[in-house]
Amino acid sequence: MTVRRNLAPGLAKHPKAWGRKALRAVAAMASVATTAVAFCRGKFIDGRLNTGSQPLRLTTALKSDLSSSTSRWPRVQPAPQAAPLETLLAGLFVPLMLIGLVLTTPFAKDPESAVAGALPIQLARVLRNVPLTWEIYSGFEFLSVVLAAALSRPQLITSWFSEDGPVAARYGPKPLQCMELFGCSVAPGAVRPLVIFVHGGSWSHSRYWMYRLVGRRLASWGFAAAVVGYGQYPGNTVPDMVDDLRVAVGWLRDHATTLGIDASKAVLLGHSSGGHLSALLALGEEGLGLSGVAALSSPMDITDHYNWEQGRSVADISALYPAHGGEAGFTALSPTQMLLANTSHQSAVGRRGTHFFIGHGGADGTVPSTASERFIAALKAAGGTAEYCFWPRLGHFDVLAAFMGIKSDAASEAA
């Protein structure tokens, strides 16, 4: 799991720092109850907030075409359906874990490690296979970001909840095969280059509707933006996630004229595990027509990242191991290893001409910057083109926070 730290830079130096930290703690505790109430009242429809807008639907012909395609990825079994007792355990322990994260954040260098390391291994492995675990955690994440925005730039809250701009679309029949579109069809005959944003969340938490501010920011820069949802663990595995993204890219390409987008200038932008999925898609699938991929703070070698998580004592609560099918699936689902071990991927990199932009922060304790550096080396050895930016003072969420407008320091804005 990923704690949204450093969302209000310089808070510790502020004379009212402890008052604000207390406010954050109270809000985090309340987030669990808020999420539960929203869930019970039906605010979450098909895994997204019910905004009241009518989503676009796939045509019958396109549905048929997409369903007939086959995937090249290895098959990984999702987690079995959670038993009632397991769901009850998640409802009891996950709120306690989140309270522990909030309380230890001011004192611990790695609060995730401190809290996860205190859990019995078997309990942690049960919790990661329960959907409610990640629903609660996603609610916690979202409200933490909302609180950070309220403390730094309150106008962002109005921007997020505003229905002016985004178009809700459904690109497939599965619950999370949804997206929000920004900057599309701005004028008759006008077309914009397309950025497809793939959110992170350790392959299990966060939801696409939480990143509406990213879409708005990209649209303000003159891009058409698609903030894409996809199935996540425990109901889906990494191959399922890549398949969802493949279908989403195809849907956008097939509707380019209607949406006013230039399908020949489509770029994937992924953060954290979203960058990993974007790289898998670009390296492993033919005919997508992508002109570029940008991956920020992303784990590119799953074996290395699993070892990193073990060292942090978070591997048993993380979805990494089961979502990739255990160690047997690590190599086939690691972009770095794909390039090193498979000559067909090496030749495809040069043939497609997809340019990669890789960015990483030196203060990232969730995904070390060596993950990006090793991927860049493997990509260039395979004949690919890439640009790498290293930001020494930025953490795991800082660049994305700047995209969302939450952080405005010089280093984040430059990145």
Side-chain angles (χ1 to χ4, degrees), residues 19-192:
R20 290 186 176 180
K21 285 182 181 294
L23 177 61
R24 292 179 64 185
V26 172
M29 296 174 195
S31 71
V32 175
T34 304
T35 304
V37 170
F39 206 92
C40 293
R41 290 183 177 177
K43 295 295 184 182
F44 289 91
I45 305 293
D46 290 340
R48 65 184 175 91
L49 277 181
N50 178 16
T51 61
S53 56
Q54 290 294 323
L56 299 175
R57 298 284 178 175
L58 282 171
T59 64
T60 303
L62 185 56
K63 279 185 179 179
S64 175
D65 177 62
L66 293 174
S67 63
S68 65
S69 62
T70 57
S71 174
R72 62 161 301 279
W73 303 105
R75 289 295 90 191
V76 178
Q77 292 297 319
Q81 185 173 358
L85 179 58
E86 293 172 332
T87 302
L88 177 61
L89 287 173
L92 292 173
F93 280 95
V94 175
L96 294 176
M97 291 170 57
L98 297 179
I99 292 172
L101 284 174
V102 172
L103 295 179
T104 57
T105 294
F107 311 104
K109 182 178 180 180
D110 189 347
E112 294 175 348
S113 175
V115 173
L119 286 176
I121 291 176
Q122 290 304 318
L123 176 60
R125 292 178 178 176
V126 167
L127 293 178
R128 73 182 177 188
N129 290 335
V130 179
L132 183 61
T133 295
W134 305 116
E135 293 291 351
I136 294 175
Y137 191 76
S138 296
F140 168 80
E141 277 189 309
F142 174 62
L143 290 174
S144 297
V145 172
V146 168
L147 180 61
L151 292 173
S152 58
R153 294 187 176 182
Q155 67 271 23
L156 292 176
I157 307 301
T158 302
S159 178
W160 190 93
F161 283 103
S162 172
E163 290 301 313
D164 180 24
V167 175
R170 175 173 290 283
Y171 64 87
K174 297 179 182 178
L176 279 171
Q177 287 183 326
C178 303
M179 66 176 76
E180 284 193 328
L181 303 167
F182 301 81
C184 297
S185 301
V186 291
V191 293
R192 287 184 168 193

Side-chain angles (χ1 to χ4, degrees), residues 157-297:
I157 307 301
T158 302
S159 178
W160 190 93
F161 283 103
S162 172
E163 290 301 313
D164 180 24
V167 175
R170 175 173 290 283
Y171 64 87
K174 297 179 182 178
L176 279 171
Q177 287 183 326
C178 303
M179 66 176 76
E180 284 193 328
L181 303 167
F182 301 81
C184 297
S185 301
V186 291
V191 293
R192 287 184 168 193
L194 173 65
V195 178
I196 305 167
F197 178 71
V198 184
H199 68 82
S202 298
W203 305 278
S204 56
H205 56 84
S206 293
R207 301 294 183 259
Y208 74 98
W209 47 262
M210 295 166 56
Y211 297 93
R212 181 176 286 185
L213 293 177
V214 174
R216 291 194 188 281
R217 190 76 178 272
L218 290 168
S220 72
W221 291 340
F223 296 100
V227 181
V228 178
Y230 54 92
Q232 293 166 280
Y233 192 82
N236 296 267
T237 61
V238 168
D240 300 323
M241 300 173 203
V242 179
D243 277 348
D244 279 359
L245 295 178
R246 173 183 57 80
V247 176
V249 172
W251 188 92
L252 288 164
R253 184 182 62 239
D254 292 338
H255 290 76
T257 302
T258 303
L259 297 172
I261 60 179
D262 186 348
S264 67
K265 297 179 180 179
V267 175
L268 286 172
L269 168 62
H271 175 254
S272 194
S273 58
H276 162 259
L277 296 173
S278 298
L280 283 178
L281 183 66
L283 293 175
E285 299 285 355
E286 296 279 359
L288 295 176
L290 296 171
S291 59
V293 176
L296 307 176
S297 309

Side-chain angles (χ1 to χ4, degrees), residues 254-393:
D254 292 338
H255 290 76
T257 302
T258 303
L259 297 172
I261 60 179
D262 186 348
S264 67
K265 297 179 180 179
V267 175
L268 286 172
L269 168 62
H271 175 254
S272 194
S273 58
H276 162 259
L277 296 173
S278 298
L280 283 178
L281 183 66
L283 293 175
E285 299 285 355
E286 296 279 359
L288 295 176
L290 296 171
S291 59
V293 176
L296 307 176
S297 309
S298 300
M300 295 299 199
D301 188 315
I302 299 305
T303 299
D304 285 351
H305 194 59
Y306 180 63
N307 292 335
W308 177 262
E309 287 194 344
Q310 284 185 312
R312 295 179 58 223
S313 301
V314 299
D316 294 308
I317 191 68
S318 169
L320 181 152
Y321 187 92
H324 290 82
E327 294 185 38
F330 285 1
T331 298
L333 296 170
S334 294
T336 301
Q337 292 301 322
M338 288 170 63
L339 292 169
L340 294 174
N342 194 318
T343 55
S344 65
H345 291 304
Q346 294 171 5
S347 61
V349 167
R351 183 175 68 253
R352 295 173 193 167
T354 302
H355 183 74
F356 280 78
F357 173 87
I358 307 297
H360 219 116
D364 191 336
T366 303
V367 181
S369 59
T370 51
S372 291
E373 293 161 5
R374 291 170 182 169
F375 174 74
I376 285 287
L379 183 69
K380 289 185 175 180
T385 61
E387 178 182 354
Y388 177 54
C389 283
F390 176 73
W391 305 296
R393 294 187 291 114

